Amino acid sequence: MYVEKDTISEDLKELLALPHHVKSFAKDSYLFQEGDKIQHLFFLTKGKVQLNKVSSDGRELTLRICGEGQLLGEVYLYSPDANYMLDAKVKEDATCYMFPIKELENELQHNPKLAAAFMKWMCLNQQKTQTRFRDLLLNGKKGALYSTLIRLTNSYGVEKAEGILIDVHLTNQDLANFCGMAREVTNRMLADLKKQQVVSTMDGKLLVRDVAYLKNEIQCEHCPLTLCRID
């Protein structure tokens, strides 16, 4: 089942009035990279950004794709020496509001309502990440791919007569990065799903014809749709 795009909540919109500057980023550039000092919280007004983790052997694991109207930054408040633990790579040309962390910390100290909303946002992101790792670690390669496809339908799904179109351009390498496995393995698994007519393609994008099959195969726990997402 598709749920509307996850955008900033009403309680967090006060953030947009805080001091900030606007910056544009070209595709394949970075908002920040692992190891950089945490200096800003970002609000996307245009484009898409991938949050990735690169292992010591060079393998890339994509955790989320953030889009217009979303906050990102994986920030640690009141920790002056904290560094980013992920890469934020621009997938489509992006424009962001950049809020200095110091300004954010000062505002949260004096605005309990905004502080509570911000903590709720941070907890939700942590839960999303935890459920992603659960899928990857406990369900094997099949579970990793199938759960990723389910999450993509929840985040970017568009209902069609034939099924649910994942309305974002993804290569097989992109899918492999979401699952933390080799592209060749992803290719074989997608080919099998296409033979079974569980998935197909439409206008160069993936069409999931049978979401129920994917859920049954991984014994889906039917998590809240706010968590079962890729954004």
Side-chain angles (χ1 to χ4, degrees):
M1 179 180 177
Y2 169 60
V3 64
E4 290 185 2
K5 182 172 65 174
D6 187 21
T7 56
I8 188 171
S9 69
E10 288 296 323
D11 289 342
L12 278 174
K13 286 185 177 178
E14 284 187 58
L15 278 176
L16 303 185
L18 294 181
H20 63 273
H21 63 276
V22 180
K23 186 174 180 179
S24 295
F25 296 83
K27 181 180 178 181
D28 294 328
S29 63
Y30 289 86
L31 273 61
F32 54 82
Q33 291 183 270
E34 183 176 359
D36 291 348
K37 184 176 180 179
I38 295 177
Q39 294 182 312
H40 295 94
L41 176 72
F42 298 83
F43 175 72
L44 277 172
T45 60
K46 173 189 172 185
K48 288 187 173 64
V49 175
Q50 289 184 171
L51 293 178
N52 303 322
K53 180 75 174 179
V54 179
S55 67
S56 57
D57 60 0
R59 287 190 301 125
E60 187 175 294
L61 173 63
T62 301
L63 295 174
R64 293 169 56 203
I65 297 179
C66 299
E68 180 181 334
Q70 288 185 278
L71 290 168
L72 70 151
E74 313 306 304
V75 298
Y76 297 91
L77 298 176
Y78 311 108
S79 301
D81 298 322
N83 298 323
Y84 292 111
M85 299 181 68
L86 303 172
D87 294 336
K89 186 176 182 180
V90 179
K91 185 173 177 64
E92 297 176 3
D93 290 353
T95 303
C96 303
Y97 290 2
M98 298 175 62
F99 301 94
I101 291 299
K102 290 296 183 184
E103 296 285 351
L104 175 62
E105 291 174 343
N106 290 338
E107 179 65 22
L108 294 181
Q109 283 181 324
H110 300 96
N111 189 333
K113 182 180 177 181
L114 183 60
F118 192 77
M119 285 189 289
K120 182 179 179 180
W121 172 76
M122 291 180 68
C123 288
L124 180 60
N125 280 345
Q126 185 179 43
Q127 286 179 294
K128 287 179 182 178
T129 301
Q130 287 175 341
T131 57
R132 284 276 291 127
F133 280 127
R134 177 202 63 194
D135 292 343
L136 295 175
L137 293 173
L138 299 182
N139 295 324
K141 291 182 172 63
K142 183 171 76 170
L145 178 60
Y146 290 13
S147 65
T148 295
L149 291 173
I150 293 166
R151 289 171 184 272
L152 285 166
T153 63
N154 289 337
S155 293
Y156 297 104
V158 176
E159 297 281 354
K160 299 290 184 180
E162 303 90 338
I164 303 176
L165 179 69
I166 298 173
D167 194 21
V168 61
H169 286 286
L170 296 168
T171 65
N172 285 8
Q173 184 63 62
D174 290 330
L175 283 173
N177 290 346
F178 275 119
C179 301
M181 58 192 187
R183 179 171 53 85
E184 292 76 14
V185 176
T186 304
N187 291 348
R188 289 196 297 270
M189 295 175 69
L190 282 175
D192 288 340
L193 289 175
K194 288 177 180 178
K195 287 179 182 178
Q196 298 174 69
Q197 297 187 335
V198 176
V199 302
S200 61
T201 56
M202 177 183 289
D203 300 325
K205 300 174 182 177
L206 274 174
L207 178 75
V208 179
R209 294 177 172 271
D210 193 347
V211 175
Y213 173 86
L214 299 176
K215 292 181 177 181
N216 289 335
E217 286 293 299
I218 62 170
Q219 298 180 327
C220 176
E221 296 181 8
H222 301 287
C223 299
L225 292 179
T226 52
L227 296 182
C228 189
R229 305 178 64 89
I230 213 74
D231 56 3

